[in-house]
């Protein structure tokens, strides 16, 4: 079988107003995340898929994020198979943090990548 390469983008290239889907677990999200991102842990993803289709505007590119890019690659592949414009964020939150991109927490404490 021949698989198309998975679409991906560098963390530094995600638009400031881009739609980000974070598929990390709750403790990772709580430590620090992209402001405005939609959080659906990979373990809940198929059951909560409808939340993504409601949140993303028609045709809007979905930037899928995890800690380093493994889980998000799997979710990106699934989304592409569903016909969505999805890209994996190379290097995940570690690359996002490394690129100096902003992160937030829900409780106002300093954000970090768990």
């Amino acid at each position: 079988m021949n698989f198309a390469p998975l679409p991906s983008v560098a963390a530094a290239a995600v638009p400031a107003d881009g739609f980000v889907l974070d598929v990390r677990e709750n403790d990772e999200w709580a430590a620090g995340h992209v402001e405005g991102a939609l959080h659906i842990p990979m373990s809940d993803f198929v059951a909560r898929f409808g939340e993504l289709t409601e949140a993303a505007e028609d045709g809007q590119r979905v930037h899928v994020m995890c800690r380093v890019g493994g889980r998000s690659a799997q979710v990106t592949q699934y989304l592409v198979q569903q016909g969505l414009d999805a890209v994996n964020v190379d290097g995940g939150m570690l690359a996002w943090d490394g690129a100096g991109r902003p992160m937030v927490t829900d409780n106002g404490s300093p954000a970090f990548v768990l």
Side-chain angles (χ1 to χ4, degrees), residues 10-108:
V14 176
D17 62 348
F19 184 84
V20 175
L21 170 66
D22 190 321
V23 298
R24 297 174 303 151
E25 294 304 313
N26 291 331
D27 59 335
E28 295 174 287
W29 169 267
H33 54 267
V34 177
E35 188 170 10
L38 176 64
H39 178 226
I40 303 178
M42 185 173 161
S43 54
D44 299 341
F45 192 75
V46 174
R48 293 176 59 191
F49 178 69
E51 291 176 41
L52 171 64
T53 55
E54 288 170 24
E57 296 170 20
D58 281 344
Q60 184 176 27
R61 172 164 282 179
V62 179
H63 300 85
V64 188
M65 178 96 76
C66 67
R67 183 170 184 266
V68 292
R71 289 170 287 178
S72 55
Q74 295 176 57
V75 172
T76 300
Q77 187 171 29
Y78 175 80
L79 294 177
V80 168
Q81 289 169 344
Q82 306 305 310
L84 290 162
D85 180 10
V87 294
N88 188 32
V89 177
D90 274 337
M93 285 299 295
L94 288 176
W96 182 273
D97 189 31
R101 302 292 302 262
M103 296 188 300
V104 297
T105 60
D106 291 336
N107 64 10

